[in-house]
């Protein structure tokens, strides 16, 4: 599935749309160029789950931020600064990713071997003045999720 997002506001709005369909245990792996909108998308997802927008920041230096939503906790990882799989163990990645709440993983492609078996892959790429989001389901739960999102939005672009 692909969606063209004309600007930052559209990227955040798309995140809110995705967030409305997420459930306990869901994992989203966010990839793309620097500045492509991974944190904006994460902010939209988190705010749809009841997190205050200003609370959502890039976890580039913290590696993981945890936000309390209305019903679900949101764990937001940024793996950009990690160099070795062992560092994932040091931060408790295995205990958090796919556990209770929703897990958002920026730069997930850097550690593809350590990712859960099933997740929703979201790739953001700069395109013109905006960005293109490409979503791919890894597993039956995420195939259903994509169908729900498609039914809830216009994906004709």
């Amino acid at each position: 599935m692909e969606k063209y997002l004309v600007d930052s506001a559209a990227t955040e709005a798309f995140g809110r749309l995705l967030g409305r369909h997420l459930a306990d245990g869901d994992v989203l792996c966010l990839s793309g160029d620097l500045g492509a909108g991974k944190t904006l998308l994460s902010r939209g997802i988190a705010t749809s789950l009841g997190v205050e927008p200003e609370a959502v920041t890039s976890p580039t230096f913290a590696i993981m931020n945890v936000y309390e939503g209305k019903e679900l906790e949101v764990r937001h990882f940024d793996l950009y600064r990690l160099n070795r799989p062992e560092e994932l163990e040091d931060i408790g990645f295995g205990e958090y990713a796919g556990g209770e709440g929703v897990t958002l993983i920026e730069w997930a492609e850097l550690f593809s071997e350590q990712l859960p078996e099933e997740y929703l892959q979201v790739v953001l790429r700069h395109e013109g003045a905006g960005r293109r989001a490409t979503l791919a389901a890894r597993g039956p739960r995420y195939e259903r999720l994509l169908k729900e999102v498609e039914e809830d939005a216009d994906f004709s672009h």
Side-chain angles (χ1 to χ4, degrees), residues 64-66 73-77 96-104:
M64 180 181 75
N65 291 338
V66 178
E73 180 178 85
V74 178
R75 290 171 308 276
H76 183 193
F77 286 93
Y96 287 103
E100 291 182 9
V102 170
T103 305
L104 309 175

Side-chain angles (χ1 to χ4, degrees), residues 1-5 14 131-134 154-157:
M1 165 194 310
E2 288 193 355
K3 177 74 174 165
Y4 183 72
L5 307 166
F14 184 59
R131 55 192 55 92
R132 181 160 303 277
T134 305
D154 172 22
F155 281 90
S156 58
H157 298 67

